[in-house]
Amino acid sequence: MIEIPEEELVRKGKMTKSPFDMTLAEEKEWQIQKQEEAKVYLFSIGQPLVYEKDGFMIAEYADGRIEPVR
C-alpha cells in the first residue's frame, strides 16, 4: 500500500485564523467576505448569484439585474 504524505492531502487556503478561534465580529466579517468572493466567482463564469429573499428565489446578475427564479 502506498502512503500519501498529509501535506499532499491538505489544501492550503487563504485563512489566517481558524473559525473556531474567531470572535463573533471576526466570524461575521469572514462570512461576508466569503459571500462576496462567491458572487465575484459566479459572475466571472457568467452565472447568476441565486438566493432566497422574502420567501422567493432571486437571481442576481453581473449587470445588476435581479429577477425572480421561476
Side-chain angles (χ1 to χ4, degrees), residues 34-44 47 49 60:
K34 291 288 127 196
Q35 291 171 354
E36 186 60 31
E37 287 175 9
K39 184 177 180 178
V40 167
Y41 172 72
L42 287 169
F43 289 171
S44 76
Q47 296 295 312
L49 175 65
E60 183 177 337

Side-chain angles (χ1 to χ4, degrees), residues 4 13 15-17 25 32 47-49 52 57 64-65 67:
I4 300 172
M15 293 189 70
T16 57
K17 191 173 192 180
I32 291 169
Q47 296 295 312
L49 175 65
E52 183 179 353
M57 294 303 291
R65 286 181 296 133
E67 299 179 354

Side-chain angles (χ1 to χ4, degrees), residues 4-55:
I4 300 172
E6 187 175 328
E7 297 82 33
E8 292 181 24
L9 297 174
V10 177
R11 182 175 171 198
K12 300 279 182 182
K14 299 178 186 178
M15 293 189 70
T16 57
K17 191 173 192 180
S18 168
F20 298 109
D21 297 330
M22 291 181 182
T23 65
L24 289 176
E26 289 172 326
E27 186 175 348
K28 180 89 171 156
E29 182 180 327
W30 174 64
Q31 289 173 347
I32 291 169
Q33 180 185 15
K34 291 288 127 196
Q35 291 171 354
E36 186 60 31
E37 287 175 9
K39 184 177 180 178
V40 167
Y41 172 72
L42 287 169
F43 289 171
S44 76
I45 62 170
Q47 296 295 312
L49 175 65
V50 178
Y51 55 92
E52 183 179 353
K53 183 176 181 180
D54 300 327

